[in-house]
Amino acid sequence: MIKTIIFDLNKVLVAYRNIEEEYQKTLGITQKIFWESGKEFSEEYTTGKTNLDYVLMNIMEKNRLDKNNLSEAKMLHEKTLVQMPGVDILLDSLKKNYSLMLAAGDGKESLEIKLKKFDLARHFNKIYATCYMGLMKTDINFYKEILHKSSLVPKEALFIDDKKDHLNIAKKLEINILLFEGLSKLKKNLKEEFSILF
């Protein structure tokens, strides 16, 4: 029987919208090129070794953009974030019967922006994040720590993520897994595969 449901953050609870024109107008570069050129800093940021300012400044330097536009770059980063429709209602409903946890693969500032912007922390009993743990979600120790710190029985926990490689690692520890492929499918799978009440 499932007692704890662990949610991924990005592309499950929070999505990124396309504002290419605003990036072009404000920074002189497309949103896609801007963030693609920051991929080499992704792991350091996600595991808490660097901060958002460092990543943005390096992206701007790499693309020969005006570093005085740092605040604009941060504003655009926050502006791209949108909450997945309907997740608030689902989380509110689930927390009546289950312990909810967040397992975020995110840098500290980005995580804090998302938690504050969408008031997400109120849904969760505990929040775990790669930036606090210094571990990527591709590392089995990330899930071992969650199980240990929260004294969870793996077979009583369900982990929801949009990435199969994360799910496959959690599965090695006998945690139940569910691939996120949209809210309506998630609700259907929760009910049919795990008899989850919401």
Side-chain angles (χ1 to χ4, degrees), residues 16-42 45 51-80 110:
Y16 299 85
R17 66 191 179 103
N18 187 314
I19 54 168
E20 291 284 1
E21 283 182 21
E22 287 190 57
Y23 267 83
Q24 191 74 59
K25 187 180 174 184
T26 309
L27 301 176
I29 190 171
T30 67
Q31 180 180 352
K32 189 180 179 187
I33 292 170
F34 186 88
W35 288 107
E36 274 185 358
S37 59
K39 278 183 179 175
E40 66 183 272
F41 312 107
S42 175
Y45 178 53
N51 60 29
L52 184 59
D53 282 9
Y54 174 85
V55 174
L56 293 173
M57 289 293 273
N58 273 281
I59 290 172
M60 292 167 94
E61 188 177 311
K62 206 173 176 185
N63 291 285
R64 298 190 180 95
L65 302 174
D66 186 352
K67 289 183 187 176
N68 291 319
N69 288 335
L70 178 64
S71 58
E72 283 84 355
K74 285 166 95 167
M75 179 203 70
L76 287 170
H77 170 53
E78 185 169 345
K79 204 171 182 181
T80 62
S110 298

Side-chain angles (χ1 to χ4, degrees), residues 17-193:
R17 66 191 179 103
N18 187 314
I19 54 168
E20 291 284 1
E21 283 182 21
E22 287 190 57
Y23 267 83
Q24 191 74 59
K25 187 180 174 184
T26 309
L27 301 176
I29 190 171
T30 67
Q31 180 180 352
K32 189 180 179 187
I33 292 170
F34 186 88
W35 288 107
E36 274 185 358
S37 59
K39 278 183 179 175
E40 66 183 272
F41 312 107
S42 175
E43 188 168 329
E44 281 192 335
Y45 178 53
T46 304
T47 53
K49 294 181 182 78
T50 57
N51 60 29
L52 184 59
D53 282 9
Y54 174 85
V55 174
L56 293 173
M57 289 293 273
N58 273 281
I59 290 172
M60 292 167 94
E61 188 177 311
K62 206 173 176 185
N63 291 285
R64 298 190 180 95
L65 302 174
D66 186 352
K67 289 183 187 176
N68 291 319
N69 288 335
L70 178 64
S71 58
E72 283 84 355
K74 285 166 95 167
M75 179 203 70
L76 287 170
H77 170 53
E78 185 169 345
K79 204 171 182 181
T80 62
L81 304 171
V82 289
Q83 191 168 22
M84 293 290 248
V87 295
D88 253 354
I89 297 164
L90 177 64
L91 293 171
D92 273 333
S93 181
L94 287 171
K95 71 180 180 185
K96 291 172 188 170
N97 299 302
Y98 305 93
S99 171
L100 301 186
M101 293 183 186
L102 184 66
D106 224 330
K108 187 174 180 285
E109 293 88 352
S110 298
L111 174 64
E112 287 170 358
I113 289 166
K114 291 163 193 173
L115 292 176
K116 187 179 177 185
K117 186 173 182 177
F118 306 114
D119 193 22
L120 287 171
R122 68 187 174 90
H123 296 294
F124 300 102
N125 299 81
K126 289 192 180 172
I127 294 172
Y128 294 98
T130 52
C131 59
Y132 300 138
M133 295 159 76
L135 297 164
M136 292 294 283
K137 287 176 77 177
T138 47
D139 187 333
I140 199 165
N141 291 307
F142 179 82
Y143 308 95
K144 281 181 179 176
E145 271 204 44
I146 292 174
L147 292 174
H148 174 69
K149 286 184 177 178
S150 292
S151 302
L152 297 180
V153 176
K155 288 180 180 179
E156 292 176 353
L158 171 63
F159 175 44
I160 299 164
D161 200 302
D162 65 304
K163 289 191 167 71
K164 286 181 181 177
D165 56 343
H166 297 165
L167 294 170
N168 290 335
I169 293 162
K171 192 179 181 180
K172 289 178 183 176
L173 297 172
E174 297 187 336
I175 298 169
N176 294 285
I177 58 167
L178 194 49
L179 181 67
F180 182 82
E181 298 175 286
L183 193 65
S184 57
K185 193 166 182 183
L186 175 65
K187 286 180 177 178
K188 185 173 182 282
N189 291 340
L190 284 171
K191 193 175 180 180
E192 291 178 2
E193 292 183 36

